Amino acid sequence: MSSWFGSLGSGLGQSLGQVGGSLASLSGQISNFTKDMLMEGTEEVEELPNARRKEVEAIHTILRSENERLKKVCTDLEEKHEASELQIKQQSMSYRTQLQQKEVEISHLKARQIALQDQLLKLQSAAPSGTSGVGGVPATTASSSFGYGLSHHASALHDDDMDFGDVISSQREINRLSNEVSRLESEVGHWRHIAQTSKAQGSDNPEQSEICKLQNIIKELKQNRSQEIDDHQHEMSVLQNAHQQKLTEIARRHREELSDYEERIEELENLLQQGGSGIAVTDHSKIHEMQQTIQVLQTEKVESTKKISELEDKVKDINEKLSSAENDRDVLTKEQERLNAENEIKRLSNLNQDTGLGEDNMKLKMHVQVLEKENSLLNQEKEELQVSLSKLNDEYEVIKSKAMRDIDLDSELHNLRLNLEAKEQELNQSITEKEVLIAELEELDKQNQEATKHMILIKDQLSRQQSEGDNAISKLKKDLNDEKKRVHQLEDDKMNMTKELDMQKEKLIQSELVLNDLHLTKQKLEDKVGDLVDQLNKSHTQNLNIQKENFELQEHIKQKEEELSRVREELTQFLHQDSNSNFKDDLLKEREAEIRNLKQNLSEVEQLNENLKKAVFELKTENGKLNLACEDVRHQLEESTAGNSQASLDKDAIVKALKLEKRQLEAELCWAEKRLLEEASKFEQTIKELSEASNLSTSALQLEHERLIKLNQEKDFEIAELRKNIEQMDTDHKETKKVLSSSLEEQKQLTQFVSEKEICIKKLKERGSELQDELDKLTQVLKKNEILRQTIEEKDRNLGSMKEENNHLKEELERLREQQSRAAPMAEPKPIDSITELESEVSQLNVIKDSLEEEIKHHQKIIEDQNQSKIQLLQSLQEQKKEMDEIKYQHEQMSVTHTQLFLEKDEEIKTLQKTIEQIKTQLREERQDVQTENSVIFQETKVQGLNIENGSEKHDLSKAETERLVKGIKERELEIKLLNEKNISLTKQIDQLSKDEVGKLTQIIQQKDVEIQALHARISSASYPQDVVYLQQQLQAYAMEREQVLAVLSEKTRENSHLKTEYHKMMDIVAAKEAALNKLQDENKTLSTRFESSGQDMFRETVQNLSRIIREKDIEIDALSQKCQTLLAVLQTSNTGNEVGSVNSNQFEELLQERDKLKQQVKKMEEWKQQVMTTVQNMQHESAQLQEELHQLQAQVLVDSDNNSKLQVDYTGLIQSYEQNETKLKNFGQELAQVQHSIGQLCNTKDLLLGKLDIISPQLSSGSSLTSQSAEPPRAGKSDVSSESSKQEIEELRKSLQEKDATIRTLQENNHRLSDSIAANSELERQEHEQTDSEIKQLKERQDVLQKSLKEKDLLIKAKSDQLLSLNENITNKVSENELLRQAVTNLKERTLILEMDICKLKEENEKIVETSREKETEYQALQETNMKLSMMLREKEFECHSLKEKALACEQLLKEKEQGKTGELNQLLNAVKSMQEKTVTFQQERDQVMLALKQKQMENTALQNEVQHLRDKELRLNQELERLRNHLLESEDSYTREALAAEDREAKLRKKVTVLEEKLVSSSNAMENASHQASLQVESLQEQLNMVTKQRDETSLQLSVSREQVKQYALSLSNLQMVLEHFQQEEKTKYSAELEKHKQLIAEWKKKAENLEGKLVSLQERLDEANAALDSASRLTEQLDLKEEQIEELKKQNELRQEMLDDVQKKLMNLVNSTEGKVDKVLMRNLFIGHFHTPKNQRHEVLRLMGSILGIKKEEMEQLLKEDQGGVTRWMTGWLGGGSKSVPNTPLRPNQQSLLNSSFSELFVKFLETESHPSIPPPKLSVHDMQPLDSPGRRRLDTSGPESFKETVESRSGRRTDVNPFLAPRSAAVPLINPAGLGPGGPGHLLLKPISDVLPTFTPLPVLPDNSAGAVLKDILKQ
């Protein structure tokens, strides 16, 4: 890890250092170039031509674009750096987790190894203890195990020490980190000092973005530091937790070992006690062998413990190496951070120098002296940069050397990979071997347990088991050795694997980083080379342009010189030719002005030439420097390419990094596209704002439109650059794809290899789990096998004993035969008996064997029969279902009939009231009987229900039992037939008796009539209706109960159906099949248990069935007895002779029948009620189960719903936060819009202020121009008419020249004053500008803050969106889980449905069975009822017959008596009737007695039947007991016989042995003595061993106490260490807090500095904007200059034409003068004469002077004449001058300018000039009026907003002035003074006499001080 981080840091440092170095060199070269240019070129910048300015602007834009590109590159690099850091963090996290996993696996493996060793030791200790029956052996094992425990404990404690070492090493790391922090702080201070010095030297204004980046870097450093602190604290907590866990593990191990030792001691004591008893039996040789084996095992164990300790030491070493590697990693990370900080500081310094370029651009307007000073400073900076460059070169060399080392490391990596693959193969082999070992160990455990059991059971097989034990020990030794070897191999492989993995990962990452750096450097170098080439091309083009301009300027100078020479010649000509004209002065002035202008132009051109030469020289020097730089760059490129070629051979793993780069680049492209889209949206917004602003002003719209066009162009450039970048990226992608295709294959192979390894590991783990499961199953199977083995062994023993007995018997038989042959005949019967007994025993055994086999077969048959019976049962169940349905239908019909019957009965109860009193006593008795019967019936129904529910148990009867039942039923049927026969006989007897005793019956009838009357009397009493009401109430109660039961049933059925639907959904068909299988298995088990319990259950069931049949027969007997009673009642009632009595008897019979029916119905209702209750209970049980399942499902659903609700709450919270963020964003957008609006308002106010300033400055300038014009004296018009010579005119011209010089000086002074006032105004403007700038700064700062907040909000939104996505994923996962759960629920519901269907089927079958049984019962009852009815009908018919016969007899007798008329016979008849009645009474008594006897007999019969049943039961039981006793007797006899035989055999053997021993006693007595002596010796040795064991036990107890004390001490030391740790943490916290405060202060200082720098930056940008504006205006001025030059050329041509015209005119004038010399014009004289009189008297002398001058009179003479006669010439002179109006120039008069003829001529001329200086008519626009005005928005605003009059003045003064170059084209050169159109008859019209505005534009001359620079001039022009 450490090497990996180191390579990362070095790679980053290398890349950043190269970038910084290249930037520094580039910026240094550019700064040198610009400074040299400024040094040589700023002296004459004031007169730069147009093309040069354009080039400068182009260079400026190029530099700006370059700067932006470099910024973008820097930001991209920073983003890549951040991405790489994130990747590194993720990788480090993943490696940490992997390390933790590996450590956990190591700990698991260690624990498993320890467990295996413990098992081995237990096996070793168990084997000797099992094999040796001696007590002296286990002491060694105990000591050995105890030694192992001690060593293990010590190793655990040693691990504790290791943890303490980790804590101490972590504390050292903390100290080292604090030292690193202090060192970094000192470095930061150093770099801050350097930055401050560089700022003092002049790079004061770094860009705002750089400061933001610095702040971001500081934040990142802070975050990194906080993360490191958190990681450190986390590691500390992890260490503490691990320490606590280890302590708890040690304590647990200690307790376990203590318990093991205690158990072991107890076992040893038991073994010692056992060993004391069995000393004399064991062999000495075996004991010695066992002791030797134990010693060998102890030595092996000691070796294994040593090896384990060595392994633990190795593990500790590895841990130490890991910690050191982590320390190295931390150091490297810090070095990396330091390098990053240095690189950033260097980059900042470079950027500061870049910002210096902007300052240099500003200083173009400053003086040359300032530039020289700055040049010296820049030279110093250049030297410093060269020093830094040299340092960077050194660092580059160091990084190169590191790269070479990385290449060597990669070669080592390849070798390590090969080793790794080999080791992995070995590891797999070792794992498989280990699994085999584990299986063997488990098998050995089982064998050991079996061996111990065999030891306890059989002592005879000790020798065999001993040999097996020896073999097992040898195997164990081999296994142990193999295990140790494998464990060593495994651990070594693990160590190597971990090391190799770490090395590989580190080297992979290093190689990736190096390749990334190389690629980045290559790209940067290519970009730089391209930039340098572009700059070279630009410089070449600039040189060519400059040379062209030089040539053009030279040609221009030549032309100007030629023009000058021409002008001079013309001047001289004019001077020689004509000295009289008035406009020669003007021409001279014009020529002088032209000369001055030309001189100025010449000087400008010369300066330009010099500047251009210097620029060319500088460019050449720059070219040389750039060529050198290019060569250096090429060298670096070649070196880097060479390094790349070497590195690219070994860099296969770089593909991952390239993929990541590709993704990053794609992300960056997407980001750039997004940015473009955002910018486009911003542009659209700005366009909208501009469209809104267009309503305010059209000119502002145009401006913004231009700006937008420029912005669009810039964006187009940016898009083009981005496209180029994309194309480059595509090419790079193609290259990387090629590299990827080659490296992907290898990567795939590696991934496949890794996946195969992982699959193998997974398979091994699965195999392990499967093996463990199989082991568990096998252990269970083994247990069963052991039980079977024990049973088999017992059988084997029995067999062996039987065989031995057989052998003994055979031997005895032989012996007996011998004795027979020898002995007397008396001894014969005994052996014969014994032989017979033996044979009988053998036969018995064979019989038992056969019987067992038969039983097995019988069981199998029974199982088959049961299966068949099950099938039959299912069929019968289906049939019963059908029957149940039919019964239900019948039941419904019956209920309908019942309702009808009830209604009928209510009517018939009234008729019953008469006869009820007779039957009351009988009724009560019958009620009791009914109750008993009901109880019996209920019991029977319960039994039936139980039998029906049991279902299958009923049909498990055997055939014999069914036959018995059939016999019992037949017997019952026979009894029923006998009873029926008895009934018939009784009826016959009754018939006979009725014939004999009719008379008695008549008497009885009479008595009965009396009794009936008494009953009728009693019926009115309350007893009978009470009974009736009671019966009705019972009926109603039963009906109510039935309805309630039906309602409950319906509810329960609904619930049951609902629950069933849910339950059916829950279960599957598979579950039903499983349930069926389980049922079958359970039934098989129950059947087997039944057959095992020797048919007792069968017997019980038969008994129950028999009892049920008997009860049914009892019921039938009761029913027959009731029939008999009813017959008797019928007989009694039939004896009554009256018809009413007969009716009553009939009604009574019907009532009895109805009562019986009602009873039956009540019974049925109660049975049905019980059945319903049972079904309801069953339903309740089912419903409870289903409800429990429902509750479980509901709980699950609730949990799911809670989870869903939580997720929904989280989701809603997130949505709310998202909406809040959106609202905040909207608010921020509104605030931004407001801020932009306020900025626009401020800009408008600024523009207004500037406009006002512009207004003020032109007013001042116009005022000055007016004053200058007013002060200009009209010298031209003062020429007097004289006839003096040309010399005087020349002198006058010289004087006028001097005066003009004086006026020029005064004008210059005025100009100075105006410039001062303008400077003051400009200072005021600057102050206002500064104020507005400060406001703009504040607004920009606010905007930056808002942008930062917006960025933060964007980040927050991104984070929230990520959280939302993760939550959505969680929700989808939850939804999928819910769906899975629902599917499971549906499956379960289906299963439950299926189960419920099965249950329903079973229930329906049960119900059908019940219904069939009920139907049979009802059929039986119906048959009985029909029988009863038939018998009753028979009796009724018989009674009717008897009554009819009796009536007939009575009628015959009456007839006879009437005939005879004898009355005595009547009496006889009456007596006979009485006697008959008495006989009937006696007969009834007899009948009652007979009935009672019958009842008694029936009771006796039932009692006898019960007794018979009891006797049968007793017989069965006695038979069973007899069989059991017989078996027992047989067994006991067998055992006795066996014992007797064995005793006899033993007696014989003993007798033989006694004889042998008696023979051998004498010989073996000595040996016995020796043996006793040896035994005593052994006893003594064993006692000594016992003492040793006790001593060892005491020592172990002492050691235990010591170890406990040590544990306590360790706990104390641990607590102390924790306290120390806490103290350290507190100190660290305090240190960190102090450092944090320091950093905060530093950050605050940095922020202040950043704010200052931002302010400076803003001011610089404003200056730059001004300079750009000035340059734009200069370019426009140059264009205007060119236009003016063209105009000048045109005017010169016109001037030449005019000059030619003038020459002609002058020639004509000369001719005229020559011709008219000495002649006087009459008209002229007339006009003069007339004018003399017209003029006022004050001015007449002037007219006379004019006349005199015309006539050639001298001044002196004229003055003398005028003095002589002032009033002489009066009015007549004016007449001569009246007609000369044509020659006088026409001056347009103003309305305020009246004809002031009173004023003098000069005054009029002055007034004329004054009027002309204020023209009312707007002057004609020049040809240049289409040109765009300057970009000052204030002027435009003035144009739109100002008043018209003011506009006119501005246009006439300042507007024209701005359009025309102030340096060139003075008035004299532009326009000739002679108007050629005025050459009319009236003479030439001079231009001076005309209004100036008609012909020329008026200009105010600009005062240009020689001291001022070109920048100031440009500023003044702009302001004007």
Side-chain angles (χ1 to χ4, degrees), residues 987 991 1123 1126-1127 1130-1131 1134 1146 1149-1150 1153 1424-1442:
T987 51
D991 293 331
K1123 271 187 191 177
T1126 51
L1127 285 164
V1130 167
L1131 277 167
S1134 64
N1146 291 325
E1149 282 169 2
E1150 285 173 1
Q1153 287 171 7
Q1424 282 180 348
E1425 283 169 4
T1426 50
N1427 197 0
M1428 288 271 286
K1429 284 174 185 175
L1430 287 164
S1431 60
M1432 289 289 283
M1433 288 284 283
L1434 270 168
R1435 283 169 194 164
E1436 283 171 7
K1437 292 277 172 74
E1438 283 169 358
F1439 278 122
E1440 282 172 359
C1441 287
H1442 284 301

Side-chain angles (χ1 to χ4, degrees), residues 1234-1269:
Q1234 287 172 3
V1235 167
Q1236 284 174 350
H1237 186 63
S1238 60
I1239 287 158
Q1241 286 177 351
L1242 284 163
C1243 289
N1244 291 330
T1245 51
K1246 183 187 169 185
D1247 294 333
L1248 285 165
L1249 288 163
L1250 288 164
K1252 283 175 188 176
L1253 284 164
D1254 291 332
I1255 291 154
I1256 291 155
S1257 59
Q1259 282 176 349
L1260 288 161
S1261 61
S1262 62
S1264 64
S1265 65
L1266 285 167
T1267 52
S1268 63
Q1269 283 176 359

Side-chain angles (χ1 to χ4, degrees), residues 62 66 527 529-539 541:
I62 289 154
E66 182 65 22
D527 295 335
V529 167
D531 296 334
L532 289 164
V533 169
D534 293 334
Q535 286 177 2
L536 271 168
N537 292 326
K538 284 168 189 172
S539 63
T541 51

Side-chain angles (χ1 to χ4, degrees), residues 77-279:
L77 283 167
E78 281 176 353
E79 283 168 359
K80 282 178 187 174
H81 177 61
E82 285 169 359
S84 64
E85 277 184 346
L86 286 167
Q87 282 177 1
I88 289 153
K89 279 175 190 171
Q90 287 172 0
Q91 285 173 350
S92 66
M93 287 292 283
S94 65
Y95 288 140
R96 276 180 188 166
T97 51
Q98 282 177 6
L99 265 173
Q100 286 173 358
Q101 286 170 5
K102 295 287 173 192
E103 282 172 356
V104 169
E105 284 175 0
I106 287 157
S107 64
H108 285 310
L109 288 165
K110 277 185 184 174
R112 204 164 184 187
Q113 188 189 359
I114 289 154
L116 287 165
Q117 285 174 351
D118 291 332
Q119 284 178 358
L120 266 173
L121 289 161
K122 281 176 188 173
L123 282 167
Q124 285 173 2
S125 61
S129 66
T131 51
S132 69
V134 188
V137 180
T140 53
T141 58
S143 64
S144 66
S145 64
F146 182 70
Y148 167 72
L150 280 170
S151 66
H152 189 68
H153 191 63
S155 68
L157 293 167
H158 200 63
D159 289 339
D160 267 1
D161 294 329
M162 176 65 201
D163 292 331
F164 296 137
D166 290 336
V167 170
I168 290 152
S169 65
S170 66
Q171 191 57 47
R172 284 174 186 161
E173 277 181 22
I174 290 154
N175 295 326
R176 192 174 51 66
L177 286 165
S178 61
N179 293 324
E180 280 275 318
V181 166
S182 60
R183 189 171 61 70
L184 284 165
E185 281 177 351
S186 64
E187 282 179 358
V188 166
H190 171 65
W191 286 112
R192 198 185 296 136
H193 181 67
I194 288 159
Q196 283 168 0
T197 53
S198 65
K199 279 175 197 168
Q201 284 168 2
S203 59
D204 297 324
N205 299 315
E207 287 183 7
Q208 198 167 5
S209 61
E210 297 303 314
I211 289 150
C212 294
K213 283 173 192 171
L214 267 173
Q215 287 173 352
N216 291 327
I217 289 152
I218 289 155
K219 282 178 190 171
E220 283 170 4
L221 288 165
K222 270 191 187 174
Q223 285 170 3
N224 290 330
R225 195 183 65 179
S226 61
Q227 280 177 359
E228 282 175 357
I229 289 157
D230 293 334
D231 292 336
H232 185 69
Q233 286 176 351
H234 180 66
E235 284 169 2
M236 288 291 286
S237 63
V238 167
L239 281 166
Q240 285 175 356
N241 292 328
H243 195 67
Q244 287 171 357
Q245 284 172 2
K246 284 191 177 179
L247 270 173
T248 52
E249 280 177 1
I250 288 155
R252 186 173 54 72
R253 283 180 197 163
H254 191 64
R255 284 172 201 154
E256 286 171 359
E257 283 165 10
L258 277 170
S259 61
D260 292 334
Y261 291 148
E262 284 168 0
E263 287 169 4
R264 191 78 193 123
I265 287 155
E266 285 171 2
E267 285 173 5
L268 287 165
E269 283 173 356
N270 294 324
L271 284 164
L272 278 168
Q273 287 169 4
Q274 287 173 5
S277 62
I279 287 157

Side-chain angles (χ1 to χ4, degrees), residues 717-730:
F717 285 128
E718 284 175 1
I719 289 154
E721 285 174 0
L722 285 166
R723 280 177 187 162
K724 285 175 187 172
N725 289 326
I726 288 155
E727 286 168 0
Q728 286 176 358
M729 293 294 287
D730 290 327

